[in-house]
Amino acid sequence: MVSLRSLIPGQGSSSSPSISVVLPAFNAEHFLEGTLTSMLCQSLSAWELLLIDDGSRDRTAEIGRRAEAADSRIRLITQPNAGVSIARNRGVAASRAPLIAFLDADDLWHPDKLLAHVERHRSDPGLGVSFARVEFLTPAGRPTSLVASHPKLPLRP
């Protein structure tokens, strides 16, 4: 796994992100560095990450402060524990980009995830929502070959 300290801070532009990523986190210290590393490894650099610490009692906010200091695209927002929905809504309210993505504190993203979504939305301006298939990993981060299937019926936003 890539260390947060080893990544070049300030890649990309935080002044005009193409996409805002909202990451609610509650007591997520065991997963958060891996999740942040998967964000920092995105091939698309024009993003902002809003890390909402939802009143964690572990080192979640400390990890968030370090990430915020290392990369200007990351903003830590802290709040008393109010639940994941309120944390997500707070992140959306603080976002600056025309597109919003949601990232859970224990998820890892493929390096081209954001690029694929942004390009898809640029190619179809009427598109309101996009999603990708999900592969489940073991707690150690190894692929399980279990992939969430697509819905049988078309989804509507």
Side-chain angles (χ1 to χ4, degrees):
M1 178 173 297
V2 177
S3 166
L4 288 175
R5 289 185 208 99
S6 69
L7 294 166
I8 300 169
Q11 293 183 10
S13 169
S14 62
S15 61
S16 58
S18 299
I19 191 164
S20 295
V21 178
V22 175
L23 193 170
F26 176 73
N27 291 341
E29 72 176 305
H30 297 294
F31 306 104
L32 192 53
E33 288 199 24
T35 301
L36 292 171
T37 297
S38 80
M39 267 305 302
L40 293 167
C41 291
Q42 290 296 302
S43 58
L44 177 79
S45 62
W47 51 260
E48 70 172 346
L49 174 71
L50 300 130
L51 170 56
I52 314 303
D53 176 33
D54 188 32
S56 298
R57 293 181 292 274
D58 64 0
R59 295 178 40 250
T60 296
E62 176 188 327
I63 294 166
R65 279 189 289 278
R66 280 196 339 254
E68 182 179 47
D71 194 306
S72 63
R73 298 172 294 177
I74 299 173
R75 287 190 283 156
L76 173 65
I77 299 171
T78 59
Q79 67 180 31
N81 182 253
V84 67
S85 297
I86 290 174
R88 281 192 183 112
N89 289 341
R90 185 142 185 219
V92 169
S95 68
R96 298 179 306 190
L99 295 173
I100 296 172
F102 295 106
L103 174 60
D104 289 339
D106 61 348
D107 285 354
L108 303 174
W109 276 354
H110 185 280
D112 293 327
K113 178 184 175 52
L114 291 180
L115 180 64
H117 284 283
V118 168
E119 286 180 347
R120 179 68 176 102
H121 281 267
R122 283 183 180 152
S123 72
D124 184 354
L127 184 65
V129 176
S130 62
F131 65 96
R133 292 173 40 180
V134 174
E135 180 175 12
F136 297 96
L137 305 175
T138 68
R142 289 187 299 275
T144 64
S145 299
L146 295 173
V147 177
S149 60
H150 61 82
K152 294 180 180 170
L153 300 173
L155 294 176
R156 294 177 39 174

